[in-house]
DNA sequence: GGGAAGGTTCACAGATCAGTATACGCGAGG
DNA sequence: CCTCGCGTATACTGATCTGTGAACCTTCCC
């Protein structure tokens, strides 16, 4: 009956394994396409345990997205913690985080994919996915403001689009990855918005 | 048993209605979440007819994506047919096409969404979706080349990411739409790659 | 007249879906 | 000792999924 996400950091050992399996399967094969029976089998846990811990598939999906969101925010925080960055370099730091992130996440943005499968705003996972974009937009906005860039809101919007686009575009025949190519574009946009620029 | 896409332009009246209903439902609610029974009911046609015409849900999905791809290409062609455009304006013309397109397509990029739901490369719809991105990448590349811009391949890759990103990002609290904001970013990138630029 | 094409009606298969019921095992902490 | 938290095992419900079988009704065209 429960429909809200659990705290991914306080889980019983069985629930942990369920969430790990669900994360992999949902991301790799899609949320709707993966059934609870498969998740239970893959995690070596009974379906009964899955429901005792999470209450419903909805809640498991929401927890999966929440856990992924936390991982991503920690990953970005790591890139921002680098010392000796200029304010402008800080504004494009998430793109450097994106490069390493995409090495292990080749199936696009999990939140965009989730929104594609969960159009219902009432679904608890929908809000988690929407919040993730909002958070990133605000992060870009504050970074742009701290770097004294023009039109921080618009610039942040543009950087967010570049970021989501890099995740969406499957790397083409080009030798360089989308993350690297897009990081260059972000630098160009940031320089163009610099206070000293023409 | 058929698994390949039909030609969306040569359809019987019943098949036409099926495809129209499927297009709306697949885009709005997701491919896996929509069953053939719902499509048949929504289009006022028997499930038997649906299978007589399309052979399988797979094939219907592939046809849906193919039809959408043709609509989009025609839409872009319209924007490129505008007279009096400079080569640099032509390079960003798809972004002007995007603005009007997004007025009626508020659920993101149908092809990205489809790839999220159809990870299997063997699925006939997968290839249609992948081809769409490839086509757009090549279009941007040739437009950049014709405008004599530096690194046409990389620039096209960046523009493609901007394009997909604009579709993926649900318009935030900002007053301007993603399409407009991203069109500005595209202009900045194009100007920065102009032969006369610093 | 006689096909052939497009569509309808309705029943039905076989699989898979989310979720539940009941009963049991086991270890830790009071 | 005894309960409670965690997990196991198995069977089951009812709904929904894709896909099929068989018979029948038009309309158009040769």
């Amino acid at each position: 009956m429960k429909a809200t996400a659990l705290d991914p950091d306080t889980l019983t050992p069985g629930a942990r394994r369920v969430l790990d399996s669900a994360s992999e399967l949902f991301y790799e094969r899609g949320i709707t396409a993966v059934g609870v029976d498969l998740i239970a089998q893959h995690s070596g846990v009974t379906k009964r345990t899955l429901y005792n811990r999470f209450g419903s598939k909805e809640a498991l999906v929401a927890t999966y997205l929440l856990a992924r969101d936390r991982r991503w925010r920690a990953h970005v925080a790591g890139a921002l913690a680098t010392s000796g960055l200029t304010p402008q370099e800080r504004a494009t730091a998430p793109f450097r985080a994106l490069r390493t992130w995409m090495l292990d996440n080749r199936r696009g943005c999990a939140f965009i994919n989730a929104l594609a499968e969960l159009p219902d705003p009432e679904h608890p996972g929908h809000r988690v996915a929407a919040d993730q974009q909002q958070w990133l937009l605000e992060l870009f906005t504050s970074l742009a403001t701290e770097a004294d860039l023009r039109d921080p809101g618009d610039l942040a919007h543009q950087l967010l689009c570049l970021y989501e686009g890099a995740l969406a575009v499957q790397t083409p025949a080009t030798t360089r990855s989308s993350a690297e190519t897009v990081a260059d574009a972000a630098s160009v946009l940031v320089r163009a918005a610099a206070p000293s620029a023409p």
Side-chain angles (χ1 to χ4, degrees), chain A residues 68-104:
Chain A
R68 230 187 134 85
D69 187 29
R70 291 201 182 167
R71 274 212 312 270
W72 163 247
R73 294 193 193 193
H75 190 71
V76 172
L80 279 171
T82 312
S83 62
L85 293 180
T86 69
Q88 293 192 16
E89 282 168 342
R90 282 177 62 82
T92 58
F95 289 95
R96 278 181 290 283
L98 187 58
R99 199 187 126 268
T100 53
W101 179 265
M102 284 180 71
L103 296 177
D104 298 320

Side-chain angles (χ1 to χ4, degrees), chain A residues 99 102-103 106 169-182 184:
Chain A
R99 199 187 126 268
M102 284 180 71
L103 296 177
R106 308 195 156 275
V169 170
Q170 39 189 32
T171 305
T174 319
T175 48
R176 303 176 67 211
S177 78
S178 286
E180 293 177 271
T181 312
V182 159
D184 290 349

Side-chain angles (χ1 to χ4, degrees), chain A residues 18 35-41 43-56 60:
Chain A
V18 168
V36 288
D37 296 83
L38 179 63
I39 296 172
Q41 183 187 348
S43 56
V45 142
T46 318
K47 196 163 52 154
R48 201 72 192 88
T49 303
L50 189 156
Y51 275 95
N52 281 341
R53 295 296 124 232
F54 294 93
S56 70
L60 176 58

Side-chain angles (χ1 to χ4, degrees), chain A residues 107-131:
Chain A
R107 284 256 311 142
C109 176
F111 306 100
I112 296 295
N113 293 357
L115 287 175
E117 292 200 72
L118 314 173
D120 179 13
E122 299 299 307
H123 194 294
H126 188 101
R127 176 152 276 175
V128 178
D131 285 354

Side-chain angles (χ1 to χ4, degrees), chain A residues 72-73 75-98 135-149 155-156 159 163 183 186-187 190-191:
Chain A
W72 163 247
R73 294 193 193 193
H75 190 71
V76 172
L80 279 171
T82 312
S83 62
L85 293 180
T86 69
Q88 293 192 16
E89 282 168 342
R90 282 177 62 82
T92 58
F95 289 95
R96 278 181 290 283
L98 187 58
W135 176 81
L136 196 52
L137 179 65
E138 289 169 6
L139 175 66
F140 275 128
T141 306
S142 63
L143 289 175
T145 305
E146 288 166 18
D148 227 3
L149 300 174
L155 179 61
L159 294 179
Y163 161 83
S187 296
V190 164
R191 275 197 296 269

